[in-house]
Amino acid sequence: MTARLRESLHTAAADVPAYPVYERALATARRSRRRTALAAVAVLVLVALAGAVLPLARTPAAGPAAGAEAALPDRVAVPPFGSLYATNRPRLGPASVIFTGQAPGLTHGDEGSVIAVVGADADRYRIIKGEIEAQAGEDTVLSPDGRQVAFRSVGYSRPRVKVVDLLTGRSRTVASGVSGTVLVEPAGWSPDGRALVVRDTVPANPEGSAYRQVLSIVWMDSDRRIRLANEEGPGSPVAFAPDGARLAFQTGRTVSVADLDGRRLSSFTLAPETELAGKGAWSTDGRTLTVTRRDGDSWSLRRIDPATGRDLGAMDTPTVSGVTAIRLLGWAVDGSARVVAYLPEPRTPTVFDAPLDMDQRLAYGNVGTVRVLALDRGADAPTTLLTAPTGVVAIDASDDVIRSGRTRDASPPDGMGPRFWFWTVLLIAVLVAGIVAYRARTRLALWRDRTPR
């Protein structure tokens, strides 16, 4: 190699910039650590979110759990704060009971009611947001199989009835077919759950000092309507005969029996202090109707002829005392009656001597709590099947549960519900990610500046 060549090579080598091996190695290591840390945070956030979301996104429930049977819980409690809605996943499936009231946890907003829904075979609670002073069993009704809940809904448009399917989570509305209505509410389900009786309240004069009750049958699969009644006076729950071919309803002091085509089969006036017993008013063979009668401070069940209203005598079931009213839910397989007993609020009398309608005896301000009782044939006293905390003022049960006669030891949930934990975990994950990003902001800025473009 000549001297000139060596000199040229040295000059070329001197002109090549030095590569910062050490500094680049440190930068690469720091970048790798930052990426690893950010990936770890991302994984933690995703795991936290998955843990919170997956319980809400499982497949729909197909019904009661394997090996479990629908039964009446022996007690209910106010749903925990953050309970799932009836439309959330996992789906609830059929319900055993629904209840409403004025206890903390059973209201929302300024005046709205929370409808509590309890699973058919276990203490799985869901909630539905309803209107002011919703009354389970009166204007909020559970279908015979426990699958659907119908309740009144006002919203931002005309009054309507809303129906939630507990098996699918889907909901639909049943709009009023009556012009001028100020309120529409469900009154009762047909035994097969295909038809719903709705009651419209319509002003009877321009001043609004009197109202008419317009009763209609609506078929859920077609919205076909049949008009049943258009009369003045307060209404009551509707009782379908076991075969579903007839129904009885009370308006004022008059009880009417009609068929599904709206033909009036009979109509008669009840004796004073006597009321159509409730949705379970028909006997199991469909031959007689049951009414409740108040004698002093006691209520008893009596049979009447559905064609004439003739009193057929008292039933051999015990009387219920110390309550404002009772409602008949239905009959168990052993022949015993299942009734809701409305216990008075401490400052409310059990006896209303003034000629008040049944609505006053069941009103929020007059009822302290409710019980579900069994009135066994030949028994001396009622048997308590279900208790509720103070402030639960109305309850309804599915016909399937009542008919089965089964009860179960209940263990209502307490603490906080799944929605509370979902939003809590989500908030914590977001806060952790925000803190990590904030603390790494300087290093991230330096890394962006040093990254080759």
Side-chain angles (χ1 to χ4, degrees):
M1 181 181 295
T2 64
R4 181 177 295 180
L5 178 59
R6 282 197 301 271
E7 184 178 349
S8 297
L9 290 176
H10 282 297
T11 302
D15 291 338
V16 175
Y19 183 82
V21 177
Y22 179 72
E23 290 80 2
R24 289 284 179 150
L26 289 179
T28 302
R30 293 191 190 99
R31 186 163 57 251
S32 299
R33 286 197 298 269
R34 282 194 295 268
R35 288 176 177 173
T36 302
L38 290 174
V41 170
V43 170
L44 289 175
V45 171
L46 290 175
V47 170
L49 290 178
V53 172
L54 284 178
L56 306 181
R58 298 205 313 256
T59 54
E69 294 179 310
L72 186 75
D74 63 357
R75 64 189 179 100
V76 295
V78 175
F81 177 75
S83 293
L84 294 177
Y85 292 113
T87 53
N88 288 151
R89 295 178 184 271
R91 308 301 189 206
L92 177 66
S96 56
V97 298
I98 60 174
F99 59 91
T100 55
Q102 55 190 351
L106 289 178
T107 59
H108 70 90
D110 294 332
E111 297 181 327
S113 295
V114 169
I115 304 164
V117 186
V118 184
D121 61 307
D123 289 304
R124 291 172 291 122
Y125 277 53
R126 298 289 189 273
I127 61 173
I128 299 172
K129 288 187 176 181
E131 299 297 332
I132 180 174
E133 295 188 356
Q135 288 186 305
E138 301 294 313
D139 57 27
T140 304
V141 291
L142 183 62
S143 63
D145 60 2
R147 173 172 174 165
Q148 302 179 87
V149 180
F151 55 100
R152 53 186 168 88
S153 176
V154 177
Y156 299 100
S157 58
R158 297 182 60 189
R160 57 190 178 175
V161 168
K162 192 170 184 179
V163 179
V164 173
D165 190 320
L166 302 174
L167 197 63
T168 65
R170 292 191 293 267
S171 62
R172 59 168 297 182
T173 58
V174 179
S176 171
V178 179
S179 60
T181 184
V182 296
L183 179 68
V184 58
E185 57 192 13
W189 289 94
S190 64
D192 58 9
R194 295 177 56 195
L196 179 68
V197 177
V198 297
R199 179 183 294 107
D200 285 89
T201 301
V202 182
N205 55 45
E207 296 78 20
S209 59
Y211 293 89
R212 293 180 290 111
Q213 302 292 327
V214 181
L215 210 62
S216 308
I217 306 178
V218 180
W219 274 261
M220 304 299 291
D221 56 357
S222 64
D223 277 342
R224 182 168 69 96
R225 289 175 172 270
I226 295 293
R227 185 68 54 84
L228 292 173
N230 185 354
E231 302 169 358
E232 290 191 25
S236 71
V238 171
F240 273 88
D243 61 3
R246 294 171 295 164
L247 66 158
F249 55 91
Q250 180 178 341
T251 305
R253 303 302 311 153
T254 301
V255 169
S256 301
V257 177
D259 62 17
L260 297 187
D261 292 323
R263 290 189 295 264
R264 193 72 60 96
L265 305 178
S266 63
S267 185
F268 47 86
T269 302
L270 292 177
E273 296 297 343
T274 305
E275 306 283 343
L276 188 65
K279 71 173 185 177
W282 287 93
S283 60
T284 54
D285 58 10
R287 295 181 179 179
T288 61
L289 278 172
T290 310
V291 294
T292 59
R293 179 176 177 178
R294 184 180 73 86
D295 294 301
D297 66 345
S298 298
W299 291 80
S300 60
L301 301 180
R302 302 183 69 85
R303 295 287 199 199
I304 61 172
D305 187 330
T308 64
R310 180 171 60 92
D311 190 343
L312 302 178
M315 296 187 61
D316 59 341
T317 53
T319 60
V320 182
S321 302
V323 298
T324 62
I326 60 174
R327 283 291 199 198
L328 179 57
L329 293 170
W331 307 89
V333 290
D334 61 2
S336 63
R338 299 294 201 256
V339 303
V340 179
Y342 297 83
L343 280 65
E345 198 270 343
R347 295 180 295 276
T348 300
T350 59
V351 178
F352 291 87
D353 291 323
L356 299 175
D357 57 64
M358 183 61 77
D359 287 346
Q360 287 295 326
R361 295 182 171 125
L362 308 182
Y364 267 49
N366 294 331
V367 178
T369 188
V370 294
R371 299 283 187 271
V372 175
L373 309 176
L375 307 184
D376 297 301
R377 300 293 180 89
D380 295 327
T383 301
T384 299
L385 301 179
L386 178 149
T387 60
T390 300
V392 173
V393 303
I395 193 167
D396 193 15
S398 75
D399 291 358
D400 288 354
V401 166
I402 293 300
R403 193 179 303 113
S404 73
R406 291 187 292 268
T407 58
R408 60 178 176 81
D409 295 333
S411 180
D414 53 13
M416 298 298 178
R419 281 193 305 116
F420 170 84
W421 293 115
F422 168 76
W423 291 110
T424 300
V425 170
L426 179 61
L427 178 61
I428 292 174
V430 171
L431 288 175
V432 169
I435 292 171
V436 171
Y438 179 79
R439 296 186 65 179
R441 70 190 187 283
T442 303
R443 294 178 181 176
L444 289 173
L446 292 175
W447 171 72
R448 286 196 301 269
D449 292 339
R450 293 176 179 175
T451 301
R453 296 293 189 264

